[in-house]
Amino acid sequence: MVEESFLIGAMRLEEYMRVLVGMSGGIDSSVAALLLKEAGHEVVGVTMSIWSKGNPFSGELKKNACFGPNEEEDIAEARRVSGMLGIEYHVLDCAKQYEQIVIEDFKSEYMAGRTPNPCVWCNSLIKFGALPKIARESGIEFDAFATGHYAQVGKNGDRWNLMRAKDLRKDQTYFLYRLTQKQLSEVMFPLGKATKEEARRLCIEHGFFTEDKDESQDFYSGDYSDLLQTEPKMGNIVDKKGTVLGQHEGYWKYTIGQRRGLKISSERPLYVIRLDAQENEVVVGHEEDTFGDALIAENLNWIAVESLDTSIEVQAKIRSTGSPKAALVETREDGTVSVRFAEPQKAVTPGQSVVFYQDDVVLGGGVIR
């Protein structure tokens, strides 16, 4: 049996449910299915197929990526674990929706000189959107949807809240901030109160995987150029004054804060500080030039509040691997918000997300403009 402490507050134990579990063939989703079954729910495993055989792919294959030609291996693992658990299992084709939403956004953002976060859009629109919808359209009945994300969900008054996981090192709320009230009302996060070490131990104890099992980390298992499908376009690498320091083959191959790969000799290290798609330029500066104390965010999604009509003090997170930092958020007339940090932050990157927290509660977030 699974430890009771894993289950308290992680799922609705007061009633029996038929729960659809998104299974990736990895440790976390496998343990999520296990915990739900041990809690007495009827569990149905499902994997979304997002790779089309006609997709371009070149170069060395990276393991442990969500999107790539090695998808069949992940499906085989998810099917095997489902068999060990004795649960119903399905594979649903979500490739068309994934390409139309996630890949097209990925392409347009990079070509506009921004750095997108495809996992954010995949979660809100595909994994928690298209997948459950396609499952119901396929005749699969279920009462709730669950994944192996490290996050928690609760309710405050009439609003569902997204909250950080017990294991803050693995917390994945940054990637989930675009979930809607309806999605949160139907979701379960069985690993919300577990640690990664506990999940891995359970996986090994139940014979799902061996100790050397890796976890998925990357978005794509090939080179991003495969997805962008664009020819090299020579341009200049310039400093803040416009002085040409070198050349590049495509501004979309760079990101804000990048230091390596510039191939420019300099007495002090140079960093990418801006991408100019219109001029086809990569602008570089020194480390102090990578810091900024403010940003504007658009395309907002609020969770803990219906909307924001005043300024509010928050902890703001501008990248998944960073920690939340003190900031003041203020609304603007055009529907965006300004975010001013108490201390300058390094590599504020257009296209990435900024997520707002108060304690462990996710207020909402938006895309950095």
Side-chain angles (χ1 to χ4, degrees):
M1 293 295 290
V2 176
E3 288 92 331
E4 183 71 13
S5 60
F6 280 18
L7 306 176
I8 296 174
M11 53 195 84
R12 304 156 194 158
L13 297 176
E14 68 275 7
E15 57 181 314
Y16 160 86
M17 287 196 215
R18 182 173 161 90
V19 184
L20 184 71
V21 181
M23 301 187 69
S24 65
I27 292 172
D28 299 331
S29 59
S30 299
V31 173
L34 169 68
L35 293 175
L36 287 162
K37 184 176 180 182
E38 290 283 355
H41 297 293
E42 180 181 0
V43 178
V44 179
V46 65
T47 300
M48 59 180 192
S49 174
I50 56 176
W51 179 260
S52 298
K53 292 184 178 179
N55 280 334
F57 181 83
S58 62
E60 183 180 355
L61 179 68
K62 299 177 190 174
K63 286 283 189 180
N64 309 317
C66 298
F67 186 60
N70 55 333
E71 178 185 80
E72 292 184 1
E73 298 175 19
D74 298 329
I75 292 174
E77 293 283 54
R79 191 186 304 277
R80 179 181 62 81
V81 172
S82 296
M84 295 177 68
L85 288 169
I87 63 173
E88 184 181 330
Y89 177 72
H90 303 269
V91 178
L92 298 179
D93 185 359
C94 299
K96 180 179 178 181
Q97 292 85 349
Y98 190 87
E99 290 173 11
Q100 289 177 343
I101 295 172
V102 179
I103 300 302
E104 286 306 314
D105 176 78
F106 179 86
K107 291 179 182 178
S108 64
E109 286 291 279
Y110 261 110
M111 298 312 296
R114 294 186 290 268
T115 305
N117 195 319
C119 297
V120 167
W121 300 106
C122 176
N123 280 327
S124 63
L125 300 177
I126 307 299
K127 191 171 293 182
F128 291 82
L131 178 59
K133 182 176 182 290
I134 292 172
R136 286 198 166 99
E137 291 173 348
S138 302
I140 303 172
E141 296 182 356
F142 56 95
D143 304 304
F145 179 63
T147 69
H149 285 95
Y150 287 84
Q152 300 187 73
V153 64
K155 200 171 186 183
N156 182 17
D158 61 352
R159 293 198 70 81
W160 290 93
N161 281 350
L162 175 67
M163 298 170 293
R164 294 201 293 175
K166 171 188 173 182
D167 188 347
L168 294 180
R169 296 169 303 165
K170 298 300 297 183
D171 174 66
Q172 293 172 297
T173 51
Y174 179 88
F175 297 109
L176 301 172
Y177 81 92
R178 300 203 70 86
L179 295 186
T180 66
Q181 286 292 295
K182 186 176 187 304
Q183 288 171 327
L184 289 170
S185 72
E186 299 174 343
V187 75
M188 289 178 165
F189 294 124
L191 299 186
K193 289 189 177 297
T195 66
K196 183 66 182 187
E197 290 75 16
E198 290 167 334
R200 181 176 288 273
R201 176 174 57 79
L202 278 174
C203 235
I204 295 171
E205 287 178 357
H206 285 78
F208 297 157
F209 303 105
T210 57
E211 291 186 7
D212 58 354
K213 172 68 175 177
D214 293 327
E215 58 182 310
S216 178
Q217 294 181 339
D218 295 321
F219 152 60
Y220 178 52
S221 56
D223 189 286
Y224 283 179
S225 298
D226 298 339
L227 304 180
L228 297 175
Q229 288 292 284
T230 187
E231 296 296 323
K233 185 178 180 181
M234 297 299 297
N236 292 326
I237 300 177
V238 302
D239 63 17
K240 293 186 296 181
K241 296 180 180 179
T243 304
V244 177
L245 303 178
Q247 279 72 46
H248 65 78
E249 296 182 348
Y251 57 84
W252 53 88
K253 296 184 178 182
Y254 300 82
T255 189
I256 304 301
Q258 179 177 332
R259 174 183 171 184
R260 299 182 182 279
L262 297 178
K263 299 178 181 178
I264 299 174
S265 298
S266 175
E267 292 182 0
R268 295 178 60 196
L270 293 172
Y271 298 78
V272 175
I273 60 173
R274 185 163 59 87
L275 301 175
D276 191 329
Q278 186 172 351
E279 299 296 329
N280 189 27
E281 288 183 339
V282 175
V283 184
V284 298
H286 299 299
E287 185 173 17
E288 60 268 24
D289 299 318
T290 66
F291 285 85
D293 62 1
L295 62 85
I296 294 174
E298 58 190 0
N299 203 350
L300 299 157
N301 183 63
W302 299 106
I303 296 178
V305 294
E306 184 173 349
S307 62
L308 189 67
D309 55 11
T310 184
S311 62
I312 187 172
E313 292 183 353
V314 303
Q315 298 286 312
K317 189 172 180 177
I318 61 172
R319 59 181 56 87
S320 63
T321 55
S323 57
K325 303 297 183 182
L328 179 69
V329 179
E330 295 183 291
T331 57
R332 290 160 47 96
E333 291 183 358
D334 60 359
T336 63
V337 297
S338 65
V339 182
R340 185 164 295 279
F341 291 93
E343 297 180 358
Q345 302 300 305
K346 188 172 184 178
V348 178
T349 306
Q352 290 285 290
S353 291
V354 55
V355 181
F356 310 127
Y357 297 83
Q358 281 190 335
D359 297 324
D360 287 333
V361 176
V362 179
L363 295 178
V367 179
I368 300 172
R369 187 171 75 180

